[in-house]
Amino acid sequence: MEEQRLITLENISKEFDGNTVLDNINLYIRKNEFLTLLGPSGCGKTTTLRIIGGFETADTGKVIFDGKEINDVPPYKRRVNTVFQKYALFPHLNVRDNIAFGLKIKKMPKQEINKRVDKMLDLVNLSGYGKRSVDSLSGGQQQRIAIARALVNEPEVLLLDEPLGALDLKLRKEMQLELKSMQQRLGITFIYVTHDQEEALTMSDTIVVMHGGHIQQIGTPKTIYDEPKNAFVANFIGESNIFKGTMVRDELVEFCGQQFVCVDSGFGENAPVDVVVRPEDVMLVGEDIGQVTGVIRSVLFKGVHYEMMIDTGNCVWKVHSTTMQPEGSRVGLNVVPFNIHIMHPMKEA
Ligand SMILES: Nc1ncnc2c1ncn2[C@@H]1O[C@H](COP(=O)(O)OP(=O)(O)OP(=O)(O)O)[C@@H](O)[C@H]1O
Ligand SMILES: [Mg+2]
C-alpha cells in the first residue's frame, strides 16, 4: 500500500447543543486505502464523515487534504463524493437520470454517459430498471442506486455512510464483495461507516473503532481482533467475557475470586485492570481439575457451537464449545495464560 497520507484529521472536536460528540479526533487516511469508522449508534461516525465531506464544520482542528487545509472549502469543491446514510435520490428523475446526473453536469458526451450508466446498473444488479421512477423502488434498490450514482463519477475519495444498511443479508454480502473489488480495481480511497463489526473486518484495510466521540483504537482488522486495546474494543469486535480484576504482580492476575497466571506484565502491583477472555478460549473440564468450578445455567445451540452461561459464584462466564453439558451440571473451567488478556480499565466515555 502506498504510504501517502491523503486526508488528515487533526485535533477535530465538535459539540452540538453543549454536548461533545467528537473529542479531539486524530487520524489519517492513505491514498487507495479502505478505512472504516466502526462504532455503536451515536458514537460520532456520521459527524466525522460529514466533516470530511464539508457538510459540517468542526469547532476546533483541521481537515487536511493532500497537504492543504480545507476547513473552509465547500463540499462541491472537495475531491470527494458521498453516499449518505439517508440517501436522497432525485424523485423527479428516473433511475437512469439519477445515476447520470453528475456526468451530465460535467458535460460528458452522451454515448459515454450511457455506457457508464449501463455498467453501473449492471454492477448494482438493477439492469432493466433504468426507466423506473425511483419512488417505485424498494429501500434496498434505492440504496443501490445511491451507490451507483456516487461511483459513476469515479471519485478520488468516496465517503460511504452505512451504504448497505437497508439490504438483506445475502445482497449485503454480495455488495460487500462488489464494493471492495471496485475500490481496488478503480483505486478509489474509501472512507466507510458501519456499526457492523463483521462488515468492517471483511472489507477494511484499516478500522477506526469509535465510542462516545473518542477513537478507541486504529489498526488492521487482524490487530483489532487479536489485540484489542481495551475492553470496549474487545467486546465490540466479537464476543468476550469482561471481568473486573486486579493485577497482583507481573504475570499474575486475580478475578472472579481466583488467581490466574497470565502473560502480561507492566501494570504494576495490585492495580485494577479489565480482564478479557473470549468464550471460545474457555475449556470445559471435570470439576476436580478446573481452575474454577461452576454450574451451567443455560445452553443454547448456535449452529457451529453451543453457548453456555456458567455461574462460578461471583462471575458468570460465557463459554463456546462444540460439546455440551446439560443445564444444572457442575463443571470445571480452564483458561491457558496466553488467552487471558489484561487491559487498562476503560475510561468511561
Ligand atoms: N445536527 C445535529 N444536532 C444535534 N445533535 C446532533 C446533530 N448531529 C448529530 N448529533 C448528535 O451527535 C451524536 C453523534 O451523531 P452521529 O450521527 O455522528 O452518530 P453515528 O455514529 O453516525 O450514529 P448512527 O450509527 O446512529 O448513525 C449523537 O448523539 C447525535 O444525536
Ligand atoms: Mg450515522
Side-chain angles (χ1 to χ4, degrees):
M1 173 163 309
E2 227 172 308
E3 278 300 310
Q4 189 188 341
R5 292 181 184 196
L6 188 61
I7 299 173
T8 307
L9 299 186
E10 230 176 68
N11 305 118
I12 295 285
S13 293
K14 178 77 182 169
E15 280 187 7
F16 284 117
D17 314 321
N19 298 317
T20 302
V21 299
L22 293 179
D23 188 5
N24 202 33
I25 298 292
N26 285 283
L27 71 97
Y28 59 83
I29 300 114
R30 302 181 190 88
K31 202 167 161 44
N32 298 350
E33 185 168 29
F34 193 125
L35 178 134
T36 297
L37 304 175
L38 173 69
S41 185
C43 72
K45 305 180 296 293
T46 295
T47 306
T48 306
L49 211 65
R50 288 174 61 82
I51 287 172
I52 297 172
F55 303 100
E56 203 77 73
T57 25
D59 299 336
T60 63
K62 286 182 191 166
V63 182
I64 297 163
F65 191 101
D66 222 356
K68 291 191 194 72
E69 189 197 303
I70 57 162
N71 284 30
D72 299 324
V73 177
Y76 67 94
K77 285 192 179 158
R78 298 192 182 191
R79 283 143 62 190
V80 302
N81 256 278
T82 308
V83 178
F84 293 100
Q85 186 167 15
K86 296 188 192 83
Y87 41 89
L89 298 174
F90 305 116
H92 57 288
L93 298 180
N94 69 20
V95 167
R96 240 198 131 72
D97 292 338
N98 258 281
I99 300 176
F101 188 80
L103 304 180
K104 282 185 179 160
I105 299 245
K106 284 191 208 153
K107 304 221 183 320
M108 187 175 276
K110 208 166 171 186
Q111 218 183 343
E112 175 66 17
I113 293 184
N114 282 334
K115 215 174 89 192
R116 284 217 204 173
V117 172
D118 284 337
K119 204 176 101 190
M120 279 302 142
L121 280 171
D122 191 36
L123 185 80
V124 296
N125 260 324
L126 288 173
S127 305
Y129 282 71
K131 293 253 156 59
R132 292 270 293 264
S133 88
V134 293
D135 291 337
S136 73
L137 302 180
S138 73
Q141 289 167 336
Q142 291 186 24
Q143 200 166 19
R144 281 181 280 155
I145 299 300
I147 293 170
R149 189 177 58 174
L151 273 173
V152 79
N153 299 307
E154 298 184 1
E156 194 173 343
V157 179
L158 193 57
L159 310 179
L160 300 115
D161 196 350
E162 313 234 14
L164 307 182
L167 308 185
D168 63 50
L169 189 64
K170 184 163 175 290
L171 193 55
R172 196 181 167 100
K173 298 270 174 211
E174 278 172 26
M175 285 296 294
Q176 284 174 5
L177 294 177
E178 268 312 329
L179 281 178
K180 177 78 189 171
S181 90
M182 274 196 326
Q183 182 259 340
Q184 289 171 331
R185 218 168 47 233
L186 303 174
I188 305 175
T189 305
F190 268 36
I191 307 179
Y192 194 94
V193 164
T194 184
H195 60 260
D196 178 340
Q197 49 107 0
E198 201 184 315
E199 182 161 293
L201 289 172
T202 16
M203 297 179 81
S204 322
D205 299 314
T206 304
I207 297 176
V208 179
V209 184
M210 297 178 68
H211 178 46
H214 296 269
I215 291 179
Q216 301 292 327
Q217 188 168 2
I218 303 178
T220 63
K222 192 163 164 43
T223 310
I224 300 268
Y225 190 87
D226 290 343
E227 295 157 48
K229 231 163 117 177
N230 59 37
F232 174 80
V233 178
N235 196 37
F236 199 72
I237 308 281
E239 287 177 276
S240 286
N241 292 290
I242 299 171
F243 303 116
K244 293 272 163 225
T246 305
M247 201 66 182
V248 180
R249 54 169 191 269
D250 283 355
E251 298 177 13
L252 188 68
V253 63
E254 185 175 319
F255 62 97
C256 296
Q258 198 81 33
Q259 293 196 343
F260 294 80
V261 175
C262 60
V263 295
D264 293 278
S265 55
F267 286 81
E269 290 190 359
N270 296 316
V273 290
D274 284 341
V275 182
V276 173
V277 181
R278 295 212 181 266
E280 65 269 24
D281 291 335
V282 185
M283 289 173 295
L284 285 188
V285 295
E287 202 184 341
D288 46 331
I289 55 166
Q291 287 162 294
V292 280
T293 61
V295 180
I296 302 207
R297 292 286 180 220
S298 66
V299 182
L300 263 182
F301 181 56
K302 291 271 197 142
V304 188
H305 56 250
Y306 294 92
E307 178 173 289
M308 287 161 275
M309 301 306 285
I310 300 174
D311 187 345
T312 61
N314 35 20
C315 285
V316 177
W317 297 60
K318 184 186 281 181
V319 177
H320 290 170
S321 168
T322 48
T323 57
M324 68 91 114
Q325 302 280 339
E327 260 177 51
S329 52
R330 284 202 74 88
V331 290
L333 304 181
N334 278 348
V335 196
V336 299
F338 179 77
N339 286 328
I340 296 172
H341 307 285
I342 311 295
M343 295 168 194
H344 289 289
M346 208 187 34
K347 285 190 210 97
E348 292 307 321

